[in-house]
Amino acid sequence: MPAPCSCMSFNPETRRLSVGMDNGAISEFIVSEDYNKLTPARTYQAHQGRVTVVLFVLEMEWILSTAQDKTFTWHCSESGQQLGSHRTTAWVSGLQFDVETRHAFVGDQSGQVTILKLEQDTCSLVTTLKGHTGSVTALCWDPVQRVLFSGSSDHSIIMWDIGGQKGTAIELQGHREKVQGLCYAPHTRQLISCGADGGIVVWNMDVTREETPEWLDSDSCQKCEQPFFWNFKQMWDSKKIGLRQHHCRKCGQAVCGKCSSKRSTIPLMGFEFEVRVCDSCHESITDEERAPTATFHDSKHSIVYMHYEPTRGYLLTSGSDKVIKLWDMTPVVS
């Protein structure tokens, strides 16, 4: 290769291998039937910087790509010509495409996901999804339920209801470090996520989940009415020292530490780990509501890449420890 390889995409139906490189180019090869030979097919001078994601769409005969030059481009794989491009706000780290509607989902380092509507040689901005406080590290699209999953360096996963047009965004908290990979098993409606913490989490997405509430603003505790430390007037009037503000993860109310001394899991809201809740919400959460909706597995290495093969139920993980592991997921994804 003329430059270090940065990403690749393989289409088993056509045996077309697309390889993105550090120099911004994309080289295409045809893999022989016995998988013992690579025949060079074409090279696209697609970008001015390191290619971050390359995706071949057989139905459209398109090559979609993104790079650190903050551009998203698509080329015709038959002619090799560039059809169009779009400038992104930050360099892109995740890319998915819906063939039916020609929507591209572009996740970037700023933490947002941009939805673009692609035509043959033009594109239009549909909307921008903003919910992560860290960069987007993984995207996964379910074309049947029309749901987009985004993983982030902020340790969270967000499920965006695109097709239902409800505008719901369900947050999933099951990793203690950044999310490195996502894949979806549609036949069992399970989401598999891998993280830098070495965790492999299998989420049951066949349950009715709830959106996390917005955090409410207040100058005093919404339970005991004690002032927070910036509320000078009330502190002076009541001759009391202000308290630090916290928020209940279940009701979203602004509360002091004394009124939110308890912790609880809230799996239906995506909180598989214990989080801060106010005392009244803690009493209202039943044991049934605390039942986990995900299973946790320790890969024993910091995962940097994952790939799931649903037909066999195999999961491949590659770690920063230079080890590749192959997992049989059929006992847990069933």
Side-chain angles (χ1 to χ4, degrees), residues 146-165:
R146 309 200 65 75
V147 168
L148 179 71
F149 300 95
S150 61
S152 172
S153 60
D154 64 10
H155 312 173
S156 73
I157 301 165
I158 298 180
M159 181 185 79
W160 308 90
D161 183 1
I162 305 295
Q165 297 180 345

Side-chain angles (χ1 to χ4, degrees), residues 180-200:
Q180 293 283 43
L182 295 171
C183 59
Y184 186 68
H187 58 292
T188 57
R189 296 197 64 181
Q190 288 173 300
L191 177 73
I192 303 174
S193 62
C194 293
D197 56 0
I200 301 174

Side-chain angles (χ1 to χ4, degrees), residues 7 38-39 45 48 53 57 63 74 93 106 117 119 142 167 180 209 217 220 316 334:
C7 58
L38 290 174
T39 302
Q45 300 301 326
Q48 299 298 316
V53 186
V57 183
I63 289 283
W74 65 104
S93 46
V106 183
K117 170 76 171 180
E119 302 298 342
D142 173 22
Q180 293 283 43
R209 295 184 177 273
D217 294 325
S220 57
L316 182 89
S334 60

Side-chain angles (χ1 to χ4, degrees), residues 63 96 126 267:
I63 289 283
Q96 292 283 281
V126 178

